């Protein structure tokens, strides 16, 4: 039976179709989910893709956080449903308190769009088992509100528990504290990151590499093994 991975679309979502394609390339079925619907259509995992939901009014992800689909998703994520938040999806996961910390405007106050080096810090989550801890990957980065912040106690907790999933290499592009590019929840089923792995799944697009495909093959393998 083919694994079913839901991809949520909000008003202002930009990368839902790219994400659906990445899911299909990995070998799973991509299931479109609409933000107004509470029904997750019995999917096995969910991706919150990048974009500018509700124009980033108030704060990035702050309005989308109250969408009906999030009511269902939040409860199921806490019960173990695998969820990946990319860029705006990461912002949304922090707003929904499924991940700690918050996302603020880039410290240089400019939009950044570039190929970004990352180091995999945790290869044990539902979305990262295709990688090795310490491995360097390159995926596109594009954001205006990408600065990850948290209080020192939370940062120390994330470091001590191995919950920093990815760290920026080759220069911090947005001022994120401790060069954090992505984090995971304690159970490892919820992961958020600012760079865009869905834009690095085919050699003809994005970075010209397929470094991002591992996110989608990781969750597929986990679901098949389960």
């Amino acid at each position: 039976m083919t694994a079913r991975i839901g991809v949520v679309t909000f008003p202002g979502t930009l990368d839902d179709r790219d994400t659906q394609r990445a899911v299909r390339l990995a070998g799973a079925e991509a299931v479109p989910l609409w933000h107004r619907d509470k029904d997750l259509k019995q999917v096995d995992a969910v991706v919150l893709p990048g974009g500018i939901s509700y124009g980033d009014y108030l704060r990035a992800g702050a309005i989308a956080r109250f969408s009906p689909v999030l009511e269902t998703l939040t409860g199921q994520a806490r019960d173990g449903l695998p969820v990946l938040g990319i860029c705006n999806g990461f912002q949304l996961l922090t707003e929904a308190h499924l991940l700690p910390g918050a996302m603020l405007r880039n410290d240089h106050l400019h939009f950044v769009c570039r190929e970004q080096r990352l180091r995999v810090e945790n290869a044990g989550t539902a979305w990262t088992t295709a990688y090795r801890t310490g491995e360097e990957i390159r995926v596109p980065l594009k954001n205006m509100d990408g600065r990850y912040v948290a209080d020192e106690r939370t940062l120390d907790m994330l470091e001590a528990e191995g919950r920093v999933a990815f760290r920026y290499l080759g220069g911090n592009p947005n001022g994120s504290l401790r060069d954090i590019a992505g984090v995971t929840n304690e159970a490892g089923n919820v992961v958020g990151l600012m760079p865009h792995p869905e834009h690095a799944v085919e050699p003809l697009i994005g970075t010209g590499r397929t470094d991002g495909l591992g996110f989608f093959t990781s969750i597929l393998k986990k679901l098949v093994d389960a």
Side-chain angles (χ1 to χ4, degrees):
M1 184 173 178
T2 303
R4 291 162 47 85
I5 300 179
V7 180
V8 183
T9 300
F10 300 91
T13 296
L14 301 176
D15 299 312
D16 45 351
R17 293 193 179 187
D18 301 70
T19 304
Q20 290 171 23
R21 180 170 178 78
V23 168
R24 291 193 295 268
L25 285 172
E29 177 185 354
V31 180
L33 300 175
W34 184 237
H35 71 111
R36 288 187 179 274
D37 298 330
K38 290 186 178 181
D39 183 10
L40 297 185
K41 301 181 181 179
Q42 297 182 315
V43 296
D44 302 300
V46 171
V47 181
L48 300 174
I52 311 173
S53 61
Y54 294 95
D56 281 349
Y57 291 123
L58 300 183
R59 289 183 312 277
I63 299 177
R65 155 69 186 103
F66 294 101
S67 296
V69 71
L70 258 295
E71 295 181 31
T72 306
L73 179 64
T74 299
Q76 292 196 21
R78 288 174 175 153
D79 289 337
L81 179 73
V83 179
L84 175 66
I86 302 169
C87 195
N88 192 234
F90 185 15
Q91 295 159 343
L92 181 51
L93 289 175
T94 62
E95 291 288 337
H97 304 297
L98 287 172
L99 291 175
M103 310 302 302
L104 299 180
R105 188 64 52 91
N106 296 345
D107 61 351
H108 45 71
L109 303 181
H110 293 287
F111 181 82
V112 59
C113 182
R114 73 186 203 188
E115 178 179 324
Q116 180 63 51
R117 294 168 55 207
L118 299 175
R119 183 170 63 239
V120 180
E121 301 283 18
N122 185 334
T125 79
W127 300 91
T128 58
T129 56
Y131 302 105
R132 303 182 309 277
T133 298
E135 181 178 355
E136 179 182 324
I137 63 174
R138 299 188 183 202
V139 296
L141 174 74
K142 51 176 185 174
N143 64 71
M144 182 69 182
D145 299 86
R147 178 160 55 110
Y148 182 77
V149 298
D151 61 73
E152 286 297 313
R153 180 178 179 181
T154 298
L155 293 171
D156 289 342
M157 176 268 292
L158 291 172
E159 300 276 13
E161 296 180 2
R163 290 173 54 188
V164 175
F166 297 91
R167 217 179 295 267
Y168 294 116
L169 294 176
N172 189 320
N174 46 37
S176 291
L177 297 181
R178 305 193 188 183
D179 298 330
I180 292 174
V183 299
T184 179
N185 68 342
E186 186 175 5
N189 63 300
V190 179
V191 172
L193 79 161
M194 285 309 297
H196 288 260
E198 79 281 11
H199 294 327
V201 295
E202 296 179 281
L204 292 180
I205 62 172
T207 61
R209 300 159 59 109
T210 59
D211 292 8
L213 190 60
F215 284 82
F216 306 98
T217 57
S218 291
I219 188 60
L220 181 59
K221 184 177 186 302
K222 178 176 177 59
L223 294 172
V224 170
D225 289 347

